[in-house]
Amino acid sequence: MSWLTKKTISFIAVIALLAIVFVKSALTGSITVTPFELMHGLLTGTNDDVEIIKDLRFPRILIAVFAGAALSVAGALLQAVMRNPLADPGIIGVSAGASFMSILLIAVFPTLFFFVPLFAFLGGALAFLLVYSLSWKSGLDPLRMILIGIAINALFTGLSQAIGFSGGGLTQSMSQVATSTLTMKKWSDVDVIMLYGSIGIFLSFFVYKWCNYLALEDKTAKSLGVNVNLARFVIALIAVLLASVATAVAGMFAFVGLLVPHIGRTLVGNDHKVLIPFSALAGALLVLLADTLGRVLIAPNEIPASIIVAVIGGPFLIFLLRKSDRIYGN
């Protein structure tokens, strides 16, 4: 099977699965309707059950799709910036920094809730800058970067928990961010993640060449006319934007940005021109599937989507690492 054929089949498969899970998620839950009833109710507005699905279920479905896409693309971009297959918004502390700043804003200025995405971006950027600057010692060392990232992640997670346990409604708000249940999401949340997520994913399509060049040694990339520092800065900003808005709206998913790009490299190769759109689709599928399973497995109770992602992703990533010799780089 040629790479072209394998890429095409992979894209068709992930798009088909995403469509199937999307429809199944919309139809399944505490309220169950047929596809015909759903379509008729959406067009006419005469079915009360469909109106409930429209107001409560559709927002969480769309948020799951955009959060998965944003986190996956962010993971692919950060792995290119750091030349490290273990770089992930959750592992290196970007998501924790975004979460901390979001909770801090709610704690100190609860009336400024509208600015949560902005503060989440600032928190994610701060976390990334700390990891990047503290890891630099005559060059970037992948192991040092991951260890420092884990420390930064622990720091911001601890600060978030300290604020959350200070009492009041903050504990519940922090719990929702940390566990990513995606419950009680509103169309206003959809507007935020669709706007900023679309901007970030759109911008990522323009930096795929830089991502490919950064896989080379810095000297080699510079000899090809690439401004390596500028490329890393711009790509990192896009990745932080995507990870931060996903964390601010959907909560923390510490595994999506690590798993999906690995799957993408196995199926469609290392060219970011193909890897970025595939990661967006596969990430959307993974988070939506996790949220759907979390809603139906032990209904009427729910399992947080982040836990489902870990349960699905952990064994699958181990399988990929054992079976494939070509997951990242050459």
Side-chain angles (χ1 to χ4, degrees):
M1 180 183 297
S2 68
W3 276 107
L4 179 61
T5 303
K6 187 175 182 179
K7 291 176 184 178
T8 303
I9 292 175
S10 298
F11 269 96
I12 293 174
V14 74
I15 291 172
L17 288 172
L18 179 59
I20 292 171
V21 175
F22 189 100
V23 174
K24 185 67 175 178
S25 182
L27 299 176
T28 306
S30 57
I31 297 177
T32 303
V33 295
T34 65
F36 174 79
E37 290 173 337
L38 179 63
M39 291 300 298
H40 185 266
L42 290 174
L43 293 174
T44 62
T46 57
N47 190 318
D48 291 338
D49 287 343
V50 173
E51 289 300 303
I52 294 175
I53 292 174
K54 177 182 175 182
D55 291 335
L56 296 180
R57 196 174 296 170
F58 272 14
R60 73 182 294 171
I61 290 174
L62 292 174
I63 288 172
V65 167
F66 274 87
L71 290 170
S72 300
V73 173
L77 296 179
L78 288 175
Q79 288 166 20
V81 168
M82 298 183 172
R83 283 208 300 269
N84 191 329
L86 296 179
D88 166 79
I91 292 177
I92 67 171
V94 173
S95 295
S99 175
F100 166 70
M101 289 299 289
S102 300
I103 295 172
L104 181 64
L105 176 67
I106 297 172
V108 180
F109 303 107
T111 58
L112 300 180
F113 185 81
F114 179 78
F115 294 98
V116 163
L118 173 61
F119 274 74
F121 173 75
L122 295 176
L126 174 62
F128 178 81
L129 288 175
L130 287 173
V131 173
Y132 195 88
S133 60
L134 294 174
S135 302
W136 184 271
K137 188 177 182 181
S138 301
L140 288 175
D141 180 77
L143 178 59
R144 185 190 305 122
M145 186 175 297
I146 292 302
L147 293 176
I148 291 176
I150 292 173
I152 296 298
N153 180 55
L155 171 64
F156 281 115
T157 299
L159 292 173
S160 297
Q161 291 176 343
I163 296 176
F165 284 113
S166 63
L170 287 175
T171 303
Q172 182 178 1
S173 298
M174 190 199 72
S175 176
Q176 290 177 350
V177 171
T179 56
S180 310
T181 59
L182 302 181
T183 57
M184 302 305 293
K185 297 299 181 181
K186 303 176 182 178
W187 282 105
S188 58
D189 298 317
V190 177
D191 294 338
V192 171
I193 198 169
M194 286 184 67
L195 173 62
Y196 296 103
S198 298
I199 291 173
I201 293 174
F202 178 75
L203 292 175
S204 69
F205 293 144
F206 290 93
V207 297
Y208 73 87
K209 289 185 178 179
W210 278 350
C211 292
N212 291 336
Y213 284 131
L214 290 180
L216 307 172
E217 293 294 331
D218 286 0
K219 292 181 179 179
T220 305
K222 290 178 180 178
S223 69
L224 296 174
V226 178
N227 187 331
V228 174
N229 292 329
L230 176 62
R232 281 202 173 101
F233 178 76
V234 172
I235 296 171
L237 278 183
I238 297 172
V240 169
L241 170 64
L242 288 168
S244 299
V245 71
T247 301
V249 176
M252 292 183 64
F253 289 84
F255 205 77
V256 178
L258 175 64
L259 172 65
V260 174
H262 275 279
I263 298 174
R265 291 186 183 93
T266 303
L267 296 176
V268 301
N270 297 309
D271 185 358
H272 285 78
K273 183 178 181 179
V274 181
L275 179 62
I276 288 174
F278 182 84
S279 295
L281 292 169
L285 172 61
L286 176 62
V287 175
L288 180 58
L289 177 62
D291 184 54
T292 303
L293 290 175
R295 286 196 295 113
V296 302
L297 284 179
I298 56 171
N301 297 318
E302 292 191 12
I303 303 174
S306 56
I307 295 177
I308 298 292
V309 169
V311 171
I312 294 175
F316 193 43
L317 179 59
I318 294 173
F319 172 78
L320 286 176
L321 291 171
R322 289 183 60 86
K323 298 293 289 186
S324 177
D325 295 327
R326 191 171 181 269
I327 292 180
Y328 188 84
N330 295 323

